Amino acid sequence: MEAKAFNQHGPSLDYAHGFRNFDHRAADVVLAVAFNSSGNRIALGSADHKIRVYDIEDDETSSLVDQWRGHDAEVKWIGSNLGHVFGTIGADNKFKLWREDTSQAPKGGRRFRCIFSQSPSNHVSYVSFDFKTVRHEVWLVLITRDGLLSLLEPSESESLSVWKELDTMYPFGQHSRSTELRFTLSLHQSERPCYNAVIAGLDPKALSLAASAMNLIKIFRAIKPDEGNYKFHEVVQLSADVAMINDVSWAPGCIRPCDLIAAACDDGSVRIFEVSTPHSGEPLSVTVPESRIPPNISTRESTSNSQNAPSGIGAGLAGVSRAAAAARDIAGTTKIIHEWKETAVLSHDDNSAVWKVRWVHDGSALASTADTGKLHFWKQDLDGRFLGFAEIGPE
């Protein structure tokens, strides 16, 4: 497709080198950016604590919808079925949900109003969150700097103004807020889990979450019994031969035979993990028995043979999984065996730390970006190997 320049009636955008140079007009550096699901609206969070929302028009101009004082740490939109709604977190120890109020004039500072605000019960700031939307149902996960994970759903799906807490836990144990563990969260966005997991006995309505800290990724399934709320249960723990994982992303899609998890690492690599659920073909019962038993957790070694046993904080994080799993009620579906392996190590040329990784909407490709500002695109070939197929960046 031929690149073309934006009409210059709005903020300056330019296709000359594959990037659109977007004049966001913020007084300070932009720290968070998110497109909505339609790709026609951008929300920005900057270090001046301002949130700005821009429309991208059909004629490829852009226009400021509104700006107001809000958050600066992370921005994510909810699925389009629920209107123009997005969430933010910041240094004020709050998560806020914003919805567009079309009765208010653009650029007046009131076009988006806060419809929900929550502070963590432990009074420690949130560092990561994610949404999952299925039609008019939505779930929210949040994690604080000391490692408290929360799962919420709205009491009223239309208003989204009241939310109830379904589950809380410390998946990696509780840590000092001054300890840098770099917690990140990623929910599986497809309506159902991958089909092999369902055949193995996983509830088709289960929620799936990847949570990372340091060099570990823990996989959780949230099961909802006939009476009660969703509860997270750890099913497998992955590890990478790196000092720190900066970001994690669960590939959308349910028709592939296994799940794919991508991790952005501080050694300049993107690592791809497969999580599979081997089965005999006869699905296990998806009912929750009265006598609850610990999960059968099976972990395969990574394809990298240089992994070391964890020590210090890492050993503490790894040890929490066994103690925490035994202490929680376990649903029968977590008897399903989960195995994992590292299938690819994708390196950025300059080996600078990779900070963000995201899959495209159908899970067929992923993008990663590092300190250099270059954006790398990766895709599987017919043999299942991940290869770089594009790289764009500022000159």
Side-chain angles (χ1 to χ4, degrees):
M1 183 176 66
E2 182 181 358
K4 55 183 178 180
F6 264 85
N7 186 319
Q8 298 299 310
H9 295 301
S12 175
L13 297 128
D14 183 12
Y15 271 118
H17 304 291
F19 265 90
R20 303 178 183 182
N21 295 320
F22 188 89
D23 181 13
H24 51 75
R25 300 174 184 175
D28 212 328
V29 62
V30 172
L31 300 174
V33 181
F35 277 94
N36 66 354
S37 58
S38 302
N40 59 3
R41 180 164 276 187
I42 306 174
L44 309 177
S46 54
D48 58 1
H49 304 289
K50 289 287 186 69
I51 299 173
R52 292 172 174 84
V53 177
Y54 288 89
D55 276 339
I56 305 299
E57 309 295 347
D58 291 339
D59 63 356
E60 298 179 345
T61 61
S62 66
S63 59
L64 177 67
V65 179
D66 209 350
Q67 61 179 335
W68 66 99
R69 187 170 180 82
H71 282 155
D72 56 3
E74 191 167 0
V75 177
K76 287 186 179 179
W77 293 84
I78 289 183
S80 58
N81 289 338
L82 299 170
H84 293 286
V85 183
F86 64 91
T88 62
I89 55 176
D92 62 355
N93 288 14
K94 291 183 179 180
F95 164 83
K96 290 186 177 181
L97 202 59
W98 307 88
R99 167 172 268 160
E100 185 176 21
D101 182 356
T102 55
S103 67
Q104 297 292 325
K107 304 180 184 179
R110 297 182 179 180
R111 181 77 173 189
F112 285 81
R113 60 186 179 90
C114 180
I115 58 173
F116 175 73
S117 177
Q118 172 169 297
S119 299
S121 59
N122 58 355
H123 308 293
V124 181
S125 61
Y126 293 118
V127 293
S128 183
F129 72 96
D130 200 10
F131 294 110
K132 176 173 179 173
T133 306
V134 178
R135 300 183 183 90
H136 292 284
E137 293 184 289
V138 60
W139 296 270
L140 165 67
V141 287
L142 296 148
I143 194 166
T144 61
R145 186 171 296 280
D146 68 343
L148 178 62
L149 173 67
S150 304
L151 171 65
L152 298 89
E153 71 174 1
S155 300
E156 300 176 359
S157 59
E158 291 186 2
S159 69
L160 299 177
S161 59
V162 179
W163 292 64
K164 59 182 179 181
E165 198 169 74
L166 306 180
D167 196 15
T168 60
M169 63 184 298
Y170 282 96
F172 299 94
Q174 187 173 6
H175 296 269
S176 168
R177 68 182 70 186
S178 62
T179 304
E180 180 57 60
L181 299 178
R182 212 159 291 169
F183 297 111
T184 58
L185 302 174
S186 178
L187 284 164
H188 181 230
Q189 296 297 320
S190 298
E191 182 174 351
R192 292 171 177 261
C194 82
Y195 72 85
N196 261 338
V198 174
I199 293 174
L202 184 63
D203 187 338
K205 295 184 178 180
L207 304 178
S208 301
L209 171 71
S212 69
M214 289 190 67
N215 68 330
L216 302 177
I217 302 173
K218 293 189 178 186
I219 304 301
F220 296 87
R221 306 287 194 182
I223 312 297
K224 185 176 183 179
D226 292 337
E227 295 183 5
N229 294 324
Y230 278 101
K231 297 291 182 183
F232 276 127
H233 309 291
E234 182 185 337
V235 293
V236 72
Q237 177 177 283
L238 292 58
S239 62
D241 189 21
V242 297
M244 193 73 71
I245 292 173
N246 297 322
D247 193 24
V248 64
S249 183
W250 194 312
C254 58
I255 61 172
R256 63 170 60 87
C258 61
D259 287 300
L260 294 177
I261 312 292
C265 304
D266 67 344
D267 67 343
S269 68
V270 175
R271 294 170 186 258
I272 311 295
F273 300 90
E274 283 186 6
V275 177
S276 58
T277 50
H279 56 82
S280 62
E282 293 293 331
L284 299 173
S285 171
V286 297
T287 59
V288 180
E290 293 183 3
S291 58
R292 301 173 184 269
I293 61 175
N296 182 358
I297 298 176
S298 174
T299 304
R300 283 184 177 174
E301 292 184 356
S302 163
T303 52
S304 170
N305 295 321
S306 60
Q307 292 189 5
N308 299 318
S311 60
I313 295 176
L317 294 175
V320 166
S321 60
R322 296 161 183 81
R328 294 174 64 83
D329 286 341
I330 302 300
T333 49
T334 52
K335 291 187 296 183
I336 302 164
I337 296 174
H338 287 71
E339 298 180 344
W340 70 275
K341 62 180 180 180
E342 186 180 85
T343 61
V345 178
L346 314 173
S347 297
H348 281 230
D349 296 335
D350 48 24
N351 294 322
S352 60
V354 182
W355 290 100
K356 289 291 183 181
V357 61
R358 288 292 182 272
W359 296 88
V360 298
H361 70 282
D362 62 355
S364 62
L366 71 154
S368 60
T369 184
D371 281 333
T372 59
K374 291 183 179 180
L375 188 64
H376 291 248
F377 292 91
W378 316 89
K379 195 170 184 178
Q380 279 183 299
D381 63 11
L382 296 177
D383 296 324
R385 297 172 300 178
F386 281 90
L387 303 173
F389 72 92
E391 176 185 325
I392 56 177
E395 292 294 327

